[in-house]
Every structure is written in structure tokens, then in C-alpha cells.
């Protein structure tokens, strides 16, 4: 295992005024070459390890992570800002996700096909090979674990570049695998200058699959590089999730659920509800309840008891929020709640509710990735669906209605890969998540999650005595 030494001092609170993306150690090209060489030999070792042993190691790593969830959560809160309960919950959830993948690894079945002649025709599923993976900072445990668990469950080795802004959580996760007995080279964690690391890893002949979670522009760049090498990609990119609240919905329940999802992780979630299209007959009640829910959010240090929303992860996000609000206001939107950074040290931005937001406001077209909720009214459901689908994004979408027929109309109508009706469901291990359109391709979670890390061999065997 190539494991860059983590020199961050987690005994003291980390500064929340960082300008650069980098806070930890950075690997040089020589380190990346060592990681690639290790992933090559690690792949051979890991793929030929009997499945019972492989899955036992994964279950052991999951056990260690579950045991350490509170400690890992504390590291996460200090480096990313989310409230401790959310962070520890994330660590526990990813241990569950690893267990699920370990079980699913035992179901990577091939098949035998009735043959037209006297050959035995079969299909085998094999690990694709060493994977290069790149993950962001918003789910410091969830994002790396989705890639690591699927890759290792499939029998692949992996070189993963976690975010330089949240290196501590990634180190804690990789330590669990090391202590659980993952063989040398199967799992390699690197840090460095993101563009240099990705260019180096993707160009290497050792790498057979490129997996990325992050923004659409970076996803396109990495997919183009991988395409030049004819390597498959899994792309989990941004979204701008519409919420349609139909005329027959309960506006209070919808507002409460939507607000809870909106302000989770300070809105820095790719599936965060971010455009609220509410039937004109309910807009008053919905907006009033949403504003009440925004008032109830307790913003503060994620380590403090009772805090429900931490700071944003970095100064870039605070600036982005200020710009989106200023743009919306300049085009006629009203700020019902928040709208500004909080007057205290750190990257705190107020839970924000905007009304009368015109369709050409940037916040209606660009992923906010922050705690801003623009609420607009609609009259006709077809128009609302057209608005929902009008952007290049297609990740998550939410609908609220009591009618089964209307729900089905929404399910068929939304151009998105992750749909929730009458609630704002989070991701689950046993079902796939992923996008349409520019939100990416490939799926994480469910049997489809393993699929991306496997290749198919057709075997036609003419039997001989
Ligand atoms: P960014 O595009 O600079 O970085 C996003 C992630 O990609 C970071 O982890 C970064 O280290 C990595 N990255 C950037 N350039 C890279 C490269 N050339 N090769 C490999 N990795 C690279 O954006 P940011 O300021 O960190 O985040 C802002 C935007 O990113 C948000 O608005 C959101 O759209 C998107 N984002 C999406 C997700 C997601 O889960 N889909 C997560 C985080 C950020």
C-alpha cells in the first residue's frame, strides 16, 4: 500500500480560513509511479485472493470503521465543517455501504447460455483492473468509500486521490483497510496537485478505469483525457435538483422535508434540492413554512452541541453564494431569509430563501452547491416539468403530490437519475445513484455499482474428449 504520510495535526482545530485547495502532504510524480506499480501487483494479488477471504477483509474494515465512527466524524467535522452528528452518521453509513458491497461481491455472477451448436457458451464477469479515482471534499468519507468499496468488491485495485481539503478522513478510512488486511498495492491513497495527479494517473497504461466525483467542467476534462486513452469512465457530477410541489400536495410537510434536505451539509450536496417550483395555490403556505424551517436552523461550529448547519467548506463557496444572491437580487428577486455571510470568523453563510426569482437568474440555472433556496410559482404541471428539465443537469429530482397518477407523470417526466416522491430521499447502498445528461454516467450503489468495475468475457468452449 502506498500511503502518503499524513502530517496534519488533528489535535488542534484546523484553520477555517484557507485560500488554497491544499492542506496536507502532496505526492510527486515519483510517488504516483510507485502507487501505479503497487496497483499493478496489488491487482494480481487481490483478484486471485479467494472471494471468501476478500470479503472477510472488507467486512473487517467495515467493522473497524463502524467502531471508529465517532472519531472519524470528529476529524471530518474539523476539516470540512459539517455538524458532528452528520459526520459520524456518514462514517457509520459508509461502513454499512462497504458491508453491502462485500455481500454483493459474492453475486458477480456470469451465466451459461444454451448454445446453437456443441459448444459451451458462457459469460464471465471479471474485475476491470487497476482503477484511478478522484473524489471531492463534500462527503469526505462517503465519496472515497463509494469508489473504494465497489472497486475492491469487484476485485480491482485502486489508486485514489481524495480531496486535499479533507485528507484526514480519507487517511482514517484507508487505515481501516490496512489494519483489516488488504494486501499491499490493492488500495493506494495519493494527494497532490489535482490536475497533475489526474493527468499522470489517467495517462498510465496501468490504469484501466477512471472514476470521478466532482464538478461537471472537471468531469468533462477527465472524461476527455480518458477517452483519448480509450479508457472507460464513471462520472458522478453536479446537479441542480428541481422540487415540484403539485396543487394537491401538503405544502407544510413538503416545505419541512425540502428545507431539511436543502440545509443538510450546508447545501453542499450534488443531489441537494435547489430549485423549488410550487403550485401557485400553495406558494404562500409553502414559502412561510420554508422560512420558518430556515429560521430554525442553528448555524455554528459543527463540534458544538445543537448545531444543525456548519460553515461552508471553503471561501470559494461563500463567494459563490454572495455572487448568486447579488445576481438574483439585481434581476428582481427578494431575499426572504439570509442572503449574506454571517458576521463571525469562518465560512458561515446564512440559510437563504429567495422569492420572485426570475428564470434568467444564475441561481435558477447554475448549481448553487450551498444553502440557497429559490422558490417560484407555477400554474401548469407540464410547464413546471419543462422548467425542471430545461437545464443540462439530470441528477436528482423531487415531486410532492397525493395522486398516484400525478406521481407517475412526474416519474416519467423528470429527466434525472435519482427521483424521490413525497420526501427527499438520501442515497442508499442497495440502489443505484447517478445522473442523466451532463450530470454524468455510470451508477454508484446497488448491483449497478459493481457493474462499472467489471468487464465481460464471452467464452465459447468446443468440448474435446
Ligand atoms: P472544483 O471543480 O475545483 O473541484 C471539485 C473536485 O474536483 C475537488 O475535489 C478537486 O480537488 C477536484 N479536481 C479539480 N480539478 C481536478 C483535476 N484536474 N483532476 C482531478 N481532480 C480535480 O470545484 P470546487 O470549488 O472544489 O467545488 C465547487 C463545485 O464542484 C460545486 O459547485 C459543485 O458543482 C462541484 N462539486 C460536485 C460534487 C459532487 O458530489 N458531484 C462534489 C464537490 C464539488
Amino acid at each position: 500500500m502506498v500511503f502518503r504520510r499524513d502530517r496534519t495535526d488533528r489535535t488542534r482545530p484546523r484553520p477555517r480560513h484557507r485560500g488554497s485547495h491544499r492542506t496536507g502532504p502532496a505526492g510527486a510524480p515519483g510517488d504516483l509511479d510507485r502507487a501505479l506499480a503497487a496497483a499493478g501487483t496489488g491487482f494480481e494479488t487481490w483478484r486471485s485472493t479467494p472471494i471468501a477471504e476478500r470479503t472477510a477483509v472488507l467486512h473487517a474494515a467495515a467493522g473497524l470503521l463502524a467502531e471508529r465512527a465517532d472519531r472519524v466524524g470528529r476529524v471530518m467535522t474539523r476539516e470540512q465543517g459539517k455538524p458532528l452528528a452528520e459526520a459520524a452518521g456518514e462514517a457509520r453509513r459508509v461502513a454499512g455501504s462497504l458491508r453491502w458491497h462485500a455481500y454483493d461481491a459474492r453475486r458477480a455472477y456470469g451465466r451459461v447460455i444454451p448454445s446453437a451448436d456443441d459448444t459451451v457458451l458462457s459469460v464471465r464477469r471479471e474485475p476491470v483492473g487497476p482503477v484511478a479515482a478522484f473524489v471531492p471534499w463534500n462527503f469526505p468519507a462517503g465519496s472515497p468509500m463509494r469508489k473504494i468499496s465497489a472497486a475492491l468488491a469487484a476485485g480491482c485495485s485502486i489508486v485514489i486521490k481524495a480531496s486535499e481539503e479533507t485528507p484526514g478522513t480519507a487517511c482514517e478510512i484507508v487505515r481501516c483497510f490496512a489494519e483489516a488486511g488488504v494486501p499491499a498495492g490493492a488500495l493506494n491513497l495519493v494527494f497532490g496537485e489535482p490536475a497533475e495527479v489526474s493527468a499522470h494517473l489517467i495517462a498510465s497504461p496501468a490504469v484501466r478505469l477512471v472514476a470521478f466525483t466532482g464538478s461537471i467542467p472537471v468531469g468533462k476534462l477527465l472524461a476527455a483525457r480518458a477517452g483519448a486513452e480509450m479508457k472507460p469512465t464513471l462520472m458522478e457530477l453536479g446537479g441542480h435538483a428541481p422540487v415540484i410541489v403539485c396543487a394537491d400536495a401538503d405544502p407544510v410537510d413538503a416545505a419541512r422535508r425540502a428545507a431539511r434536505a436543502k440545509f443538510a451539509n450546508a447545501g453542499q450536496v450534488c443531489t441537494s434540492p435547489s430549485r423549488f417550483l410550487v403550485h401557485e395555490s400553495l406558494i404562500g403556505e409553502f414559502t412561510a413554512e420554508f422560512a420558518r424551517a430556515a429560521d430554525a436552523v442553528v448555524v455554528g461550529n459543527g463540534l458544538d452541541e445543537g448545531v444543525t448547519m456548519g460553515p461552508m467548506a471553503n471561501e470559494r463557496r461563500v463567494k459563490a453564494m454572495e455572487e448568486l444572491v447579488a445576481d438574483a437580487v439585481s434581476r428582481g428577486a427578494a431575499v426572504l431569509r439570509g442572503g449574506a455571510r454571517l458576521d463571525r470568523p469562518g465560512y458561515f453563510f446564512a440559510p437563504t430563501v429567495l422569492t420572485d426569482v426570475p428564470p434568467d437568474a444564475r441561481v435558477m440555472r447554475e448549481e448553487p452547491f450551498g444553502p440557497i433556496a429559490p422558490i417560484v410559482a407555477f400554474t401548469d404541471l407540464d410547464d413546471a416539468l419543462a422548467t425542471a428539465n430545461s437545464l443540462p443537469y439530470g441528477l436528482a429530482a423531487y415531486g410532492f403530490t397525493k395522486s398516484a397518477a400525478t406521481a407517475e407523470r412526474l416519474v416519467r417526466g423528470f429527466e434525472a437519475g435519482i427521483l424521490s416522491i413525497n420526501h427527499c430521499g438520501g442515497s442508499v447502498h442497495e440502489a443505484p445513484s447517478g445522473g442523466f445528461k451532463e450530470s454524468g454516467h455510470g451508477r454508484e450503489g446497488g448491483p449497478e455499482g459493481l457493474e462499472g468495475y467489471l468487464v465481460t468475457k464471452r467464452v465459447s468452449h468446443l468440448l474435446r474428449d
Side-chain angles (χ1 to χ4, degrees):
M1 176 174 299
V2 175
F3 187 69
R4 298 291 300 157
R5 196 148 51 88
D6 175 23
R7 298 193 196 91
T8 48
D9 175 4
R10 284 187 237 101
T11 59
R12 284 182 289 136
R14 306 191 66 187
R16 309 276 329 139
H17 287 288
R18 304 185 302 268
S20 106
H21 285 221
R22 186 186 296 170
T23 59
D31 296 306
L32 300 179
D33 287 335
R34 282 202 305 133
L36 287 163
T41 51
F43 175 54
E44 294 308 326
T45 312
W46 185 239
R47 74 181 308 200
S48 50
T49 302
I51 186 75
E53 278 178 44
R54 282 206 326 241
T55 54
V57 169
L58 301 184
H59 282 295
L64 288 173
L65 187 53
E67 263 169 48
R68 298 172 188 176
D70 289 336
R71 194 181 89 203
V72 176
R74 196 161 279 276
V75 172
M76 203 186 309
T77 295
R78 287 164 69 180
E79 61 186 1
Q80 195 266 357
K82 66 180 68 180
L84 193 50
E86 257 182 60
E90 182 178 329
R92 253 175 232 110
R93 227 177 20 257
V94 300
S97 151
L98 176 57
R99 283 205 183 89
W100 192 88
H101 278 92
Y103 288 120
D104 201 41
R106 307 193 74 138
R107 293 187 288 260
Y109 306 132
R111 64 189 194 275
V112 177
I113 300 166
S115 167
D117 53 28
D118 52 358
T119 58
V120 177
L121 190 57
S122 64
V123 173
R124 314 273 180 98
R125 310 291 286 136
E126 295 189 355
V128 62
V131 177
F134 308 92
V135 292
W137 42 262
N138 56 331
F139 287 101
S143 287
M145 187 57 102
R146 281 179 149 200
K147 310 275 189 259
I148 294 171
S149 56
L152 293 182
C156 298
S157 60
I158 179 167
V159 181
I160 185 160
K161 190 198 79 58
S163 170
E164 288 66 27
E165 292 177 287
T166 53
T169 309
C171 289
E172 292 286 345
I173 287 175
V174 171
R175 270 193 197 105
C176 293
F177 283 96
E179 290 174 32
V182 165
L187 170 57
N188 308 275
L189 175 64
V190 296
F191 294 107
E193 185 53 43
E196 286 167 21
V197 176
S198 59
H200 195 94
L201 295 183
I202 293 170
S204 165
V207 166
R208 297 294 176 84
L209 170 72
V210 175
F212 174 71
T213 299
S215 63
I216 290 174
V218 176
K220 286 182 174 174
L221 181 79
L222 301 199
R225 280 190 196 282
E229 307 286 336
M230 201 47 80
K231 293 178 183 180
T233 56
L234 299 171
M235 291 283 151
E236 211 275 85
L237 308 178
H240 198 345
V243 180
I244 295 185
V245 182
C246 299
D248 65 345
D250 174 344
V252 171
D253 179 67
R256 284 181 186 163
R257 290 176 185 276
R260 203 179 309 131
K262 172 73 261 177
F263 300 122
N265 205 4
Q268 301 162 119
V269 184
C270 53
T271 55
S272 184
S274 47
R275 291 177 287 154
F276 298 85
L277 313 175
V278 183
H279 190 266
E280 59 186 357
S281 62
L282 304 179
I283 186 105
E285 261 185 289
F286 179 90
T287 306
E289 188 60 29
F290 203 103
R292 269 193 288 279
D295 293 339
V297 173
V298 181
V299 183
N301 182 336
L303 294 174
D304 292 347
E305 194 73 31
V307 164
T308 55
M309 191 177 104
M312 309 216 64
N314 52 52
E315 181 64 26
R316 302 191 300 286
R317 298 305 329 135
V318 178
K319 285 218 166 76
M321 295 309 101
E322 288 173 336
E323 285 169 17
L324 288 175
V325 171
D327 170 80
V329 169
S330 75
R331 292 170 199 269
V335 178
L336 184 63
R337 290 290 187 280
R341 77 186 298 157
L342 297 181
D343 185 19
R344 61 175 92 158
Y347 308 135
F348 295 100
F349 197 85
T352 294
V353 183
L354 303 177
T355 56
D356 303 316
V357 190
D360 62 344
R362 280 179 51 204
V363 72
M364 293 302 288
R365 294 179 288 114
E366 294 173 24
E367 177 179 32
F369 221 64
I372 301 183
I375 302 176
V376 296
F378 75 86
T379 309
D380 179 72
L381 185 53
D382 284 334
D383 290 343
L385 269 170
T387 302
N389 294 334
S390 63
L391 303 179
Y393 304 95
L395 193 59
Y398 305 91
F400 286 84
T401 174
K402 288 181 187 141
S403 152
T406 307
E408 189 56 24
R409 200 167 145 200
L410 291 172
V411 168
R412 290 180 193 206
F414 277 133
E415 292 176 357
I418 304 168
L419 306 181
S420 301
I421 301 294
N422 290 333
H423 74 139
C424 295
S427 70
V428 290
H429 330 310
E430 58 274 22
S433 297
F436 282 21
K437 304 197 282 188
E438 293 195 5
S439 291
H441 51 250
R443 293 293 180 265
E444 294 195 308
E448 291 86 350
L450 201 63
E451 195 68 17
Y453 292 81
L454 296 169
V455 278
T456 299
K457 264 186 190 163
R458 187 196 75 188
V459 182
S460 170
H461 183 172
L462 179 61
L463 296 173
R464 291 285 184 213
D465 293 332

